Amino acid sequence: MKKRIEAVNDFVVKFANVNGSGSASANELFARTFLRMGVPVSPRNIFPSNIQGLPTWYEVRVTEKGHLGRRGGVDLMVAMNPQTWAQDMKEIEPGGYVFYDNTKPLPPSKFRDDVNIIGMPLTEICSSAYSDPRERQLFKNIIYLGALAALMDLEPGAIAELIGEQYKGKEKLLKPNLNALQLGLNYAKVHLKDTLGLKAKRTYAVGDKIFIEGNAAAALGMVYGGATVCAWYPITPSSSLAEAFQSYCSKLRIDKETGKNKFAIVQAEDELASIGIVTGAGWNGARAFTSTSGPGISLMTEFIGLAYFAEIPVTIVDVQRGGPSTGMPTRTQQADLIACAYAGHGDTKHPMLLPEDPAECFEFAAQSLDLADRLQTPIFLMTDLDIGMNHRLCKPLKWDDARVYDHGKVMTHAELEAGKDFGRYLDVDGDGIPHRTLPGTHEKRGAYFTRGTTKNAYASYSETGPDYVYNVQRLLKKFETAKSLLPKPVLTPAKEPARFGAIYFGSTSPSMLEALESLALKSIFINALRIRSFPFQDEIFDFVQSHSKVFVIEQNRDAQMKTLLVNDAGINPASLISILHYDGTPITARFITQEIAQVVAALNVRPIKKDKAA
């Protein structure tokens, strides 16, 4: 008898479709149905960079334990794309399942002996039920959703409720979708009974968590953080951030008395124009940001250098994707670290924030605006496609209404009137941060010429060596000051004494945490430190010093985080071991576990014995 995977609320389902087929809506309904049943899910949309015709996948991790990273492997493949059949079959776990349209049955050679086959004549059913070709295609997706609901014990009422919400006010679309759902349910109950060992069971494991994309959360953080200006140029995967900001502003930034907008959103002609607008707005005292991705950062570097040297508050959200050049526009990587940390020619260094999920996207977006004002410099919020464009369960977004924005050192009219000495680039507090004035603050005092060229402490043009050295050294001092203002790293200690440490950041977090559990089951105990910002605090250096070896897990080819740790934290490269994943898909817990376990085995390291007296 062929082996069958049997599991309840713990499996991976992957949908293989064609882009533009209307499958995305049905696949998302599938994922959201588990949430309605109280079961945590972590979906990921893997889509091409064209409009339609190329392969697309939608992977749903169902896990009552709440793991949100990719596990690796597929337990059920819903194979709706003949183009990718061979590739899709390879991903299925032994004892797993393939669900496919068997209107035209495939020969045995197309299947694996260790995979269970579930066939349903979807095309035949659609041809009988619908005459319009487009309806046949669209409702095919809802029919297989209904079949899966029957096979997996998903609650049809939960799906119907979600469809009702989706087509609220569109009654003409509601009834046909419900009918298609019922077609799939009825067929599976009669013809496919007991063919699938993966089952859903109502539980209460979601708790108070919310389901939101990182781009939407970051956009909302910008609204709450006080941003009033956004300038952007469309680029995947950041476009939805600016669009979400506009949507939120339309609800939250309209003057109730006059009905006028209290915000400005400009879709510029290119990335260079967008960062120029944001730099001008920041100089005028507005809280301003732009959202982009790697190619946009490349185009923006001249203005970033100006903002750095002229000391103008600017916030840049980089939703990273695969590079270089156009690279993989719809795949994820963490490969812009060095480009952003040192963006601009000459000697430049920029603070970066590294959120792990949508909740931190919200929190760090608001904080980035404070930091830009406080430090008078560009701030980079570094997310990626995996966080930005995928829905993720996270803790509820929280905001303290008593919070006061930190505008930093802005000299007031009263201070200028009283004769306080104003040197635009004068360090009077020893932290490297000068005072600034905003346009129109005083009718006679506080004016200065903003330039990208060298100047003295009072903003007068100067090419003398001492003035230049003074300014660039002061900028380094400011960079050092930033360490005390940025989010601190987060330690996850091992349950047993550990020789090894691991450093990770950003969207790697959920897979890393699951990998730590898997490694512990192999008696490999790792102390893990999640880096949340750059420049690096002393805690990171101390962490590395306290371990014989430290793994650095990142999603790029060139070990960019490791490079930064060596260059800017003074860490001995011999103490760091890179674990690199860069094929464009989100890193999996299995990959991290296997890579670390192999290294530990090669080093022939035995577990640390506990002190018997302890």
Side-chain angles (χ1 to χ4, degrees), residues 74 131 187 215 286 316 364 391 408 410 414 511 569:
V74 175
S131 57
Y187 184 93
N215 280 354
I316 302 164
F364 288 5
H391 281 84
V410 181
S511 291

Side-chain angles (χ1 to χ4, degrees), residues 305-319:
L306 170 64
Y308 173 77
F309 202 47
E311 300 182 59
I312 298 170
V314 168
T315 297
I316 302 164
V317 186
D318 180 4
V319 189

Side-chain angles (χ1 to χ4, degrees), residues 283-298:
W283 179 84
N284 272 281
R287 293 198 151 189
F289 78 97
T290 186
S291 60
T292 189
S293 193
I297 296 295
S298 298

